[in-house]
Amino acid sequence: MTTTIATTRETPPHDVAAESAQEAIAASRRPRAPRRFSWGWAIALPVPILILIGWHLGVQYGWTLPFDIKMAFLPTPAEVAVRGADFAVGGILDDSFSGTLWTHLGASTVRVLQGFGLAVLVAVPLGVLMGRSRLLFRLLEPTVNLIRPIPVTAWAPLTLLIIGFGDRSTVFLVFIAAVFPILLNTISGVHQVPGRLLEAAAMLGTPRYQSLYKVVLPAAAPQIISGMRIAMGLSWVILVVGETVGISTGLGALITQAREQSRTDLIIVGMIVIGLAGFIADRLLSLVFTIAFGRRPIQK
């Protein structure tokens, strides 16, 4: 009787690693399937469409809304669209505002970027230091929370007196509006950095002063970015306040001139442009951080 003994040959560990590496290389060379077009954005379309329909019907039938808002005094969406097209390219209504969109938008964008950029340069380093130093936090926190509740509209008259009319006062108001959201979110993000990260960095030989920008700042990045996005939105809100006096070019100045001339269609166009500018600025800011941090879980 012949007994057959089956032997099982085990693959050496190095062969398994080599095969895995070859499979990974082959998978990376395979053509990727094309991404399917997403219609997720279409979910948001019904809301603005319903607003436009209600707006048109309200003007047509003279509705009176809560707070005694009389829709009959508003222009129709079609009239606003015509005014917006003329404001952008000109050649339709041919008045003093025709084709001036890019001049006003460019001037306002520069002021927003200057005030916002200055707020980032001040708030992020100060927030990191306040978040790491108990002494500095106790020294500055009462003053920060004393100044923070003061509305920017209260700063505007004082700013005109001590700075004067022009771009500098507007940039200062934008800075005041943007600095506190960034500062408070930076402090909160630094406070939430796990102590184990700092201990691990110290064990690996990272000097204490380098841990601020090598460990603390990246770990607090989600909170800091959230503060920047809030500050960017507030910057466009406060811009109108800063451009209402002593400035002839800018979206806020445009709305002020339109109000003096009772041009409601132009006021609405200015409001829409500010909303779109703020929306695009927020998306660009998110894109910059996505490119900078790659696929890390920095933001949603």
Side-chain angles (χ1 to χ4, degrees):
M1 181 176 181
T2 304
T3 305
T4 303
I5 301 176
T7 59
T8 303
R9 183 181 179 183
E10 296 183 356
T11 305
H14 65 275
D15 291 343
V16 175
E19 292 176 0
S20 300
Q22 292 177 359
E23 291 177 0
I25 295 174
S28 64
R29 292 177 177 176
R30 294 171 189 166
R32 296 182 179 179
R35 294 183 62 182
R36 296 181 179 180
F37 185 78
S38 176
W39 291 93
W41 56 269
I43 299 177
L45 285 180
V47 175
I49 291 175
L50 290 176
I51 291 176
L52 290 176
I53 294 174
W55 178 3
H56 176 78
L57 295 176
V59 174
Q60 183 178 2
Y61 294 104
W63 292 350
T64 300
L65 302 181
F67 301 101
D68 200 28
I69 299 175
K70 298 179 176 60
M71 297 288 291
F73 293 103
L74 293 177
T76 64
E79 294 171 345
V80 172
V82 172
R83 168 58 67 182
D86 179 73
F87 183 51
V89 299
I92 300 176
L93 301 177
D94 290 330
D95 57 14
S96 59
F97 298 102
S98 298
T100 60
L101 167 64
W102 307 112
T103 301
H104 292 288
L105 180 59
S108 294
T109 302
V110 170
R111 295 176 188 126
V112 167
L113 292 179
Q114 288 176 344
F116 176 79
L118 183 60
V120 171
L121 292 177
V122 172
V124 173
L126 182 60
V128 171
L129 294 177
M130 289 180 64
R132 293 302 305 161
S133 173
R134 293 183 180 180
L135 177 61
L136 189 62
F137 180 81
R138 292 178 180 177
L139 182 65
L140 298 180
E141 188 269 341
T143 303
V144 169
N145 283 309
L146 177 65
I147 299 176
R148 182 174 60 90
I150 301 175
V152 178
T153 51
W155 284 94
L158 180 63
T159 302
L160 294 177
L161 292 175
I162 62 178
I163 297 180
F165 300 98
D167 291 349
R168 289 180 297 177
S169 60
T170 303
V171 172
F172 176 76
L173 292 176
V174 172
F175 166 78
I176 291 294
V179 70
F180 291 110
I182 302 175
L183 178 62
L184 296 179
N185 277 269
T186 301
I187 295 173
S188 176
V190 171
H191 279 164
Q192 296 177 20
V193 175
R196 293 181 179 179
L197 288 180
L198 297 172
E199 295 174 0
M203 292 176 61
L204 293 173
T206 304
R208 187 173 181 180
Y209 70 93
Q210 291 185 4
S211 64
L212 290 178
Y213 63 88
K214 287 186 176 181
V215 179
V216 175
L217 195 60
Q223 288 283 83
I224 298 174
I225 293 172
S226 297
M228 287 184 182
R229 294 182 65 181
I230 296 172
M232 177 60 76
L234 289 175
S235 298
W236 284 99
V237 172
I238 301 304
L239 175 75
V240 179
V241 178
E243 291 182 340
T244 52
V245 180
I247 294 179
S248 59
T249 305
L251 296 173
L254 168 76
I255 292 176
T256 302
Q257 297 171 18
R259 181 199 62 191
E260 294 173 351
Q261 301 177 18
S262 299
R263 306 279 290 274
T264 54
D265 56 345
L266 193 58
I267 293 175
I268 296 175
V269 168
M271 294 168 60
I272 293 174
V273 172
I274 291 175
L276 290 174
F279 177 82
I280 294 173
D282 178 77
R283 290 297 183 267
L284 289 177
L285 193 63
S286 299
L287 179 61
V288 168
F289 287 123
T290 301
I291 294 174
F293 293 100
R295 295 183 177 180
R296 298 179 187 177
I298 296 299
Q299 57 184 341
K300 294 181 179 181

